[in-house]
Amino acid sequence: MTDVASLSIENGIGVLTIDSPPVNALGIAVRRGIDHGIRTLGADDSVKAIVLICGGRTFFAGADISEFGRPPEEPTLGAVLDVIENCSKPVIAAIHGTALGGGLELALVCHYRIAVPSAKVGLPEVHLGLLPGAGGTQRLPRIVGPETALDLIVSGRPIKAKEAERLGVVDALAGEATLREDAVAFARKVVEEGRPLMRVRDRQNKVDPYRGKPELFAEFRRKNARAFKGFKAPENIVKAIEAAVELPFEEGVKREWELFQELEPSIESQAQRYAFFGERGTARVPDIPSSTPTLPIAKVGVIGAGTMGGGITMNFLNAGIPVTLVEMNQQALDRGLGVIRRNYENTAKKGRMTQEQVEQRMALVTPTLGLEALADVDLVIEAVFEEMGVKKDIFARLDGIVRQGAILASNTSFLDLNEIAAATARPEWVVGLHFFSPANVMRLLEVVRGDKTSKEVVATAMKLAKTIGKVPVLSGVCFGFIANRIMNQRAVQADALVLEGPTPAEIDKAIEDYGFAMGPFRMIDLVGLDVLGRGEGERTVMRDLVAMGRLGQKSGGGYYDYDEARKATPSPVAAQAIADFAAHKGIGNSGSQSDEEIIARLLYPVVNEGAKLLEEGIALRASDIDMAAILGYNWPVYTGGPMFWADTVGLPKIVAKLKEYEVRYGEAFRPSPLLEAKAAAGESFTRG
Ligand code: 3HC
């Protein structure tokens, strides 16, 4: 019938199957297929009811995100949904995989829904800076009530079929392997029992009780103000659900569409859509085709049970992969295991895991004191002290112990991977796997490709990242790789700027208003000045503060003073230390600066460093740099990351400012040739 749609009629039940890999996104071909299929079956007198089902791995995964920002093609999603809802015969959605966004909205215009137990349904548009724009904000509250709808749509959290059934979103559960048959049987029952055409739009009983009661929404806004900061979509979602309560259905749908249209062209939504594709694009490596063979990773060894090693270990346990965990002495090993167990038990206390699962995961760890136990693992990850001598020694020993054909990885965050690899006779098997703290939480995994790392090893690392729920970003070898190298620029500039007049609180506020959870000085105080300013070296403010016993939050003061409740207040003592150090350096105080100036000073150098990474071939693409910043440093996703943000600011403006800084402060600020060339040519890093 069409390329993506096929029709069959079984004993009076029409079955419309849509198959458009990979995820049946509701692009133009799919919309045409549904439109045509429903109309055809609707007009066929032998058909009494219609089952709408998808082939492949999932029910519709939503609108086709790549179509946003382009002129709509007919039939629009809204028009197709109307055809289904207004069909004179019952239409039954048969759901497997995920019914997300427009996919769930489509299911909600069907007259009944049946799903396999493993299916999930949800409205995740918020993650794209959007709201459900095809009736989702009007229909879902009519089934689950506005309170649950607020929770589900603002969080974007998908729910499992069973919960969906409990909430009434799904009418029945099918057998896991018998969706089609069960859906047809369900349809036949609907026909035989003469059940009505259930239209969610006509249901008012879940929303009516809330009409004229704005408190629910006011309270929701108040409670979530912090989490919403910087994002546009959550507020519009709240408004749309309010409309579902206050307005008749047709008007509510109109309001929803207006609110959707406000969001679609916004920078925030563009940035989040860019991040959606950016995240999925990182695993593509031009010279490593997707057909490259990968190695099975069934057993992992981790060396070092400290904070990093423990977090790394948890990733594998969570994925059901056994880990041999090696430490130098029993005490450190016990401590490390204790921390892992406590982490799981805390999760269990919050109800997000059962005690049985805690025990299952702990049972996957084999603690040991000797590297010899790593002889037969498939992958070793070294996560010991950041010192070249120590790492080389470990790799040389591993070379003699670990079986040939296993991958030897280092979690180094700054050191030269090629030098580490050269300590072995098999550098092609050595790769960097750089996790970000807390390693069991942060989604970035930098895969560092050494000069000799084999393609199979890189391909395996990229695939493994997905298995453990990480987003891999490939990096060449350089000091700090991608995320640390760019973000170090921010730290360097914060340290320099604080000597010129702006206070730690002013700098932190500018950065926090930009969208980072914590400004650089609060962050230093949290981590500990002694930790960050460790070791001997030339005099710095940080070292001066450490010498004064100001180690950060833990000692009651660092760049700020802290009370018992760890509340920060600007510190006169720290201010004096900063002024003394500035005087020692001969730097005059030129007073406060605007937030815009502070942001330019701290973040334009990050952009410039990103451009250098591209120039040097350390990063493959600008979006990889953005994903590294977003997923490794919580760079606010609604700005799109440093390179996308730079494009929105305008590269000529950034270049001009960097040149100004170059004159004032020196050549460290000189714009990279790539940045300058792009600015001059009117090009961008991330668009077009
Ligand atoms: N539009 C366009 N492409 C999509 C897409 C969509 N909605 N969803 C997934 N894709 C693409 C991905 O980019 C990827 O392409 P690639 O292979 O070229 O990289 C491919 O499909 C497979 O996707 P994943 O790698 O993410 O596959 P997974 O199996 O890991 O996950 C999924 C499947 C859970 C469906 C996940 O893809 C997903 O969450 N998709 C987005 C769902 C979503 O946000 N839907 C709402 C869209 S907005 C909307 O509907 C607006 C409406 O209200 C008007």
Side-chain angles (χ1 to χ4, degrees), residues 22-23 25 57-58 61-66 68 77 98 100-103 105 124-125 128 130-134 257 260 276-277 280-281 284 466:
V23 295
R57 66 195 215 225
T58 179
D64 186 336
I65 302 166
S66 62
F68 288 127
L77 184 57
T98 42
L100 297 178
E105 292 177 295
E125 284 88 343
L128 302 168
L130 296 171
L131 56 76
W257 185 237
F260 180 89
F276 177 86
F277 289 114
R280 284 157 179 79
R284 288 189 195 108
K466 201 155 184 199

Side-chain angles (χ1 to χ4, degrees), residues 326-386:
V326 186
E327 249 303 347
M328 303 269 283
N329 61 61
Q330 194 63 43
Q331 215 185 356
L333 193 56
D334 291 344
R335 199 179 325 119
L337 279 172
V339 172
I340 296 176
R341 174 174 281 282
R342 251 198 320 282
N343 278 335
Y344 282 136
E345 284 180 344
N346 284 338
T347 310
K349 264 191 218 135
K350 289 180 198 145
R352 286 193 268 125
M353 208 173 161
T354 63
Q355 191 58 35
E356 197 187 340
Q357 282 169 323
V358 175
E359 299 309 330
Q360 275 167 0
R361 290 192 196 181
M362 291 310 293
L364 288 172
V365 197
T366 309
T368 172
L369 293 175
L371 292 179
E372 293 70 26
L374 302 176
D376 68 340
V377 297
D378 304 311
L379 162 72
V380 180
I381 304 175
E382 163 279 309
V384 303
F385 198 60
E386 200 63 352

Side-chain angles (χ1 to χ4, degrees), residues 434-469:
H434 181 210
F435 290 79
F436 287 73
S437 192
N440 55 317
V441 176
M442 299 305 280
R443 288 176 60 227
L444 176 63
L445 177 62
E446 283 181 344
V447 174
V448 184
R449 183 180 190 174
D451 291 347
K452 299 199 172 141
T453 311
S454 79
K455 291 184 178 179
E456 287 77 8
V457 168
V458 173
T460 303
M462 302 306 263
K463 185 170 159 199
L464 179 69
K466 201 155 184 199
T467 309
I468 59 172

Side-chain angles (χ1 to χ4, degrees), residues 42 198 224 280 296 311 405 612 626 670:
M198 295 292 288
N224 293 290
R280 284 157 179 79
K612 290 179 192 170
D626 287 333
R670 179 174 304 158

Side-chain angles (χ1 to χ4, degrees), residues 7-14 37-50 87-90 191:
L7 298 179
S8 65
I9 300 173
E10 296 168 24
N11 201 5
I13 306 299
I38 297 286
R39 285 179 197 275
T40 308
L41 291 170
D44 186 328
D45 287 342
S46 71
V47 171
K48 303 293 173 231
I50 301 168
C87 183
S88 58
K89 297 163 188 176
V191 174

Side-chain angles (χ1 to χ4, degrees), residues 487-553:
M487 294 309 290
N488 186 47
Q489 291 295 326
R490 192 188 80 170
V492 168
Q493 295 312 326
D495 288 349
L497 186 59
V498 83
L499 301 178
E500 297 172 20
T503 63
E506 286 166 351
I507 296 173
D508 281 348
K509 180 185 170 296
I511 286 291
E512 287 161 17
D513 285 351
Y514 178 89
F516 285 95
M518 212 183 257
F521 295 103
R522 271 178 206 279
M523 183 59 101
I524 294 170
D525 277 358
L526 181 70
V527 177
L529 281 73
D530 51 335
V531 176
L532 293 165
R534 189 163 41 199
E536 297 295 303
E538 65 179 77
R539 188 179 159 194
T540 62
V541 174
M542 213 189 290
R543 291 204 173 98
D544 282 2
L545 290 169
V546 171
M548 295 162 74
R550 299 184 67 88
L551 308 182
Q553 276 198 18

